[in-house]
Amino acid sequence: MTETVETTATGAILYDKAIINHITEAHFTSEGWPHVEVLDGALRSSGRGNTLFVGNVPRQFVLRHYIRGGLAAKFLRDTYVFSGADKTRSFLEWRLLDKLATNNMRVPRPAAARFVRSGTFYTADLITVRVPGIVPLSQYIADNEPDESFWRDCGAAIHEFHKAGVYHADMNAYNVQIDGDGLLWLLDFDKGALRAPGPWQQETLGRLHRSLKKIIGLDPRLNFRSSNWDQLLEGYFEASRSA
């Protein structure tokens, strides 16, 4: 890891020179890239038009502008209270992803982050390396008929994150992604953290379960049944017993 922080006129940029050896504020906008593709959401996924695929193959990136969800979004759509550069959402997520990627966890490798300050508030952006061939779990169960071993492996993979103390604040069927080999990845670690074992582990599992049940309500043809959730839990707890 080659972390570099450069101060700008309105904030700062944090980046990894091994991935991007030169970066400007323009790279945090769609105009700063020769190729831009808007990430579309399906089945009411959370993509609020704030995520873009940018750059050319073979190395593409994902550019995300931080936007609030829930009721707060009506009043403070993309601004947050500034309490220091190291506490900005973009810098916190960049450094968490860097730790996880360095330890070979299946998360996107962070490339760059920035914040732009305006008085007591700031906006933020994050650039990560695009993981090739991954699709949201919601899409995967629409396009495939996963067997029992898939769901058990998903449970074991989630336990691997939990064993490492990885807290994901919004583990849902969109942020859980599946690659071409059927392996589970986690995306979007805004408000994520490393924590000691606790109730949060079951809470994140519950959040994923609610998300899956919700999308089945939107499209009952998706390949997910209650027995699949039991299989996921079996894989999770079997992994915990063998840990």
Side-chain angles (χ1 to χ4, degrees), residues 15-173:
Y15 66 105
D16 185 342
K17 282 189 173 180
I19 299 175
I20 299 179
N21 59 15
H22 175 69
I23 192 166
T24 67
E25 293 208 77
H27 287 105
F28 294 94
T29 69
S30 60
E31 292 78 13
W33 297 90
H35 173 76
V36 177
E37 178 186 347
V38 178
L39 177 60
D40 294 323
L43 293 173
R44 299 182 189 171
S45 63
S46 60
R48 308 178 190 115
N50 61 322
T51 304
L52 305 172
F53 292 136
V54 296
N56 293 323
V57 177
R59 170 155 281 176
Q60 281 187 297
F61 298 96
V62 179
L63 168 60
R64 189 174 92 243
H65 182 66
Y66 286 76
I67 292 181
R68 291 180 181 273
L71 293 175
K74 295 182 179 180
F75 307 101
L76 299 169
R77 180 176 180 271
D78 65 346
T79 58
Y80 304 88
V81 176
F82 185 80
S83 58
D86 292 338
K87 295 181 179 180
T88 58
R89 293 198 176 198
S90 52
F91 278 29
L92 285 170
E93 184 170 357
W94 192 101
R95 287 176 171 139
L96 175 59
L97 285 174
D98 182 67
K99 288 180 182 178
L100 300 182
T102 299
N103 286 308
N104 297 315
M105 306 291 289
R106 288 192 292 273
V107 301
R109 182 167 291 279
R114 78 157 175 177
F115 69 88
V116 176
R117 187 178 176 186
S118 178
T120 58
F121 294 95
Y122 73 94
T123 60
D125 305 274
L126 179 71
I127 299 173
T128 56
V129 177
R130 183 177 182 179
V131 181
I134 58 172
V135 297
L137 178 59
S138 58
Q139 181 181 332
Y140 188 84
I141 62 175
D143 298 338
N144 302 275
E145 296 185 11
D147 58 15
E148 178 178 347
S149 64
F150 169 82
W151 291 107
R152 294 176 70 91
D153 288 347
C154 282
I158 293 171
H159 178 265
E160 181 181 351
F161 280 96
H162 284 180
K163 180 184 176 183
V166 180
Y167 167 70
H168 193 290
D170 190 17
M171 188 184 290
N172 58 42

Side-chain angles (χ1 to χ4, degrees), residues 43-44 141 174 209-225:
L43 293 173
R44 299 182 189 171
I141 62 175
Y174 314 108
H209 192 199
R210 290 191 298 273
S211 173
L212 284 164
K213 290 193 293 184
K214 181 178 179 179
I215 63 172
I216 291 299
L218 298 172
D219 187 350
R221 296 170 297 175
L222 297 181
N223 297 301
F224 175 76
R225 300 294 178 264

